[in-house]
Amino acid sequence: MLRASAALLISSSRVPLVSFLNAQFQLHGRSRCLVSEILQDHTKLPSTRNPFSVVRTYCATQDLSTKKCCDSNDLRPMTEEAANELIQKVHGWSLVNEGDTLKLNRYWKVKSFKKGLEFFQIVADIAEAEGHHPDLHLVNWNDVKIEIWTHSIGGLTENDFILASKISALDLHHLLRKTSN
Ligand SMILES: C[C@H](O)[C@H](O)[C@H]1CNC2=NC(N)=NC(=O)C2=N1
């Protein structure tokens, strides 16, 4: 029922789509995830035949760092095509395919081992607030690597890009070594 009525609403409305749907259906949590899955389902069509292409444009311009992670158990792994589109929205991150599992990776060089742990604490606070967690690596005393993917479904969901975007938005200059220009 929701899929059909959502499809009808999407093609007819001219207001910001996700807020329109959320308002109409008072969507929160799981049902909000369902909306994003409905939109994701319909973004697999080529945009020329995709009635939801306006949605994809709308979603693609919404700042991921202002979104909230939702229960990823309701979602399915994102296609590589969708991941290649969303990766444009997260500064500094790479999309990698490790043994058929798509992941997001990013590297930093910190000023010291302790600054590395300070960095991890800042990221941990974000992860706990979002209920979505990265894999944190600190090696050679000052090399940081963060990997993000949705473990429960063995692939990428929008939650991973939201978390990556929030990490990218951090002001970390006091923790990072100056990069040689
Ligand atoms: C119950 C809890 O919300 C889930 O186990 C969350 C915790 N954080 C998570 N983080 C990541 N990256 N993937 C998950 O599948 C995941 N699941």
Side-chain angles (χ1 to χ4, degrees):
M1 162 52 188
L2 180 57
R3 289 177 189 276
S5 46
L8 180 66
L9 286 166
I10 288 167
S11 53
S12 59
S13 60
R14 285 281 171 271
V15 297
L17 176 72
V18 175
S19 42
F20 179 82
L21 286 176
N22 288 344
Q24 293 303 310
F25 294 93
Q26 280 78 49
L27 295 183
H28 302 288
R30 192 194 174 289
S31 43
R32 189 166 56 80
C33 285
L34 189 55
V35 166
S36 48
E37 185 169 330
I38 289 171
L39 304 184
Q40 190 176 326
D41 273 349
H42 292 277
T43 57
K44 288 202 190 75
L45 295 173
S47 54
T48 45
R49 289 180 34 242
N50 181 353
F52 302 100
S53 56
V54 66
V55 174
R56 184 167 53 188
T57 309
Y58 171 80
C59 298
T61 52
Q62 186 176 352
D63 181 356
L64 285 165
S65 68
T66 63
K67 300 184 85 171
K68 289 293 290 173
C69 291
C70 58
D71 181 352
S72 37
N73 292 321
D74 297 329
L75 302 177
R76 292 200 304 276
M78 190 179 290
T79 63
E80 191 147 7
E81 181 197 6
N84 277 311
E85 279 195 27
L86 265 184
I87 195 73
Q88 317 295 327
K89 305 300 296 171
V90 280
H91 169 69
W93 292 82
S94 306
L95 185 60
V96 295
N97 190 330
E98 275 183 17
D100 263 353
T101 302
L102 287 176
K103 299 179 182 178
L104 302 179
N105 274 6
R106 188 171 175 180
Y107 297 84
W108 293 263
K109 206 168 266 301
V110 288
K111 286 176 178 170
S112 70
F113 183 76
K114 286 195 75 171
K115 296 285 188 201
L117 296 179
E118 232 180 282
F119 181 18
F120 284 3
Q121 186 57 60
I122 295 168
V123 172
D125 291 343
I126 295 173
E128 284 296 292
E130 294 298 322
H132 200 68
H133 304 83
D135 286 13
L136 306 175
H137 306 262
L138 176 54
V139 298
N140 310 321
W141 66 272
N142 71 345
D143 285 328
V144 167
K145 169 185 175 185
I146 298 184
E147 292 180 294
I148 307 176
W149 80 100
T150 302
H151 299 240
S152 55
I153 60 147
L156 285 176
T157 63
E158 190 185 40
N159 287 341
D160 304 309
F161 292 87
I162 291 169
L163 183 59
S165 188
K166 291 177 187 282
I167 293 170
S168 290
L170 292 170
D171 177 2
L172 301 169
H173 75 276
H174 61 299
L175 299 176
L176 303 181
R177 271 181 50 177
K178 302 266 179 294
T179 45
S180 49
N181 298 329

